[in-house]
Amino acid sequence: MTSRLPWWLKLGVKLGATAAGVPHKVRNLLGFDRHGPMEDPAYAIEVVRHHLAALGHPEAPFRALEVGPGDSPLGALIAASAGASETWLVDAGPFANYRPAAQEATYMQLQSLGFDPPGQSRMESFRQYLDALNAHYLTNGLESMAELPSDYIDVAWSHAVLEHVRGDEFDALMRELHRVLSFDPPMR
């Protein structure tokens, strides 16, 4: 529906709906407030694989952190399929839309690529999905980062997110990333 509307009208509706207090999930369902294309299984797989390759293909098991998963929690499934024993998804709000069909499609695509995804091909609840992947979804931004143990995370990535971090929080986020990252990650 929204693909045919001019950008300025979409922006106006998004700003008006936000100012009126319309929740993110409602704006998202209407197509006015999406956080990128990470809900597309092929795109999400490519993005996470790209980041893991840039990090030197960490050796399993590794602990992963995705900063700003936005609408899609698929990064946890992809990371687990690549060898993550635990994944943390940290965002500034509860934006994730768990869609069993997207999870199932991602699971099947990962299998077709030669991966062995954990859990079931279709999990009906977000809680079941997170539990099966040993994943944690935290939604209080910097406060959530403070919950992660120091020197604990082996690999971290963020895709098209850092430009959304408020300027007055950027240095604090970088300090938190430095604190939680292990500087001796398992590499192949």
Side-chain angles (χ1 to χ4, degrees):
M1 169 181 121
T2 61
S3 63
R4 296 180 213 186
L5 299 176
W7 69 267
W8 52 267
L9 181 57
K10 286 191 262 187
L11 179 61
V13 170
K14 179 179 177 178
L15 292 172
T18 301
V22 176
H24 167 75
K25 289 202 184 279
V26 173
R27 296 188 317 261
N28 182 276
L29 286 172
L30 295 173
F32 289 107
D33 202 357
R34 299 240 162 106
H35 294 128
M38 288 292 284
E39 290 181 287
D40 172 18
Y43 182 82
I45 290 169
E46 180 57 33
V47 164
V48 176
R49 288 179 71 190
H50 167 79
H51 287 295
L52 292 176
L55 293 167
H57 297 287
E59 185 176 315
F62 60 88
R63 291 181 294 262
L65 166 64
E66 181 178 6
V67 177
D71 297 332
S72 174
L74 294 177
L77 175 59
I78 301 160
S81 298
S85 59
E86 183 176 20
T87 303
W88 296 78
L89 307 171
V90 177
D91 215 327
F95 306 124
N97 295 314
Y98 179 68
R99 293 190 171 96
Q103 180 261 322
E104 183 176 27
T106 305
Y107 189 98
M108 299 305 201
Q109 278 191 281
L110 287 164
Q111 281 186 322
S112 73
L113 293 169
F115 291 93
D116 185 20
Q120 302 166 338
S121 63
R122 185 179 181 100
M123 293 176 248
E124 293 303 323
S125 75
F126 192 32
R127 174 58 30 215
Q128 181 186 14
Y129 172 81
L130 293 172
D131 289 346
L133 302 174
N134 195 24
H136 314 277
Y137 180 59
L138 306 176
T139 60
N140 289 319
L142 277 173
E143 289 177 34
S144 293
M145 288 292 292
E147 293 180 37
L148 278 71
S150 296
D151 301 315
Y152 189 73
I153 300 296
D154 298 310
V155 299
W157 72 89
S158 181
H159 188 73
V161 171
L162 292 180
E163 67 270 21
H164 299 287
V165 175
R166 291 183 5 204
D168 63 333
E169 292 184 345
F170 187 81
D171 288 343
L173 175 61
M174 293 301 110
R175 282 191 299 276
E176 279 299 300
L177 283 169
H178 188 267
R179 181 187 64 79
V180 303
L181 282 169
S182 164
F183 288 96
D184 189 21
M187 295 302 193
R188 292 183 183 167

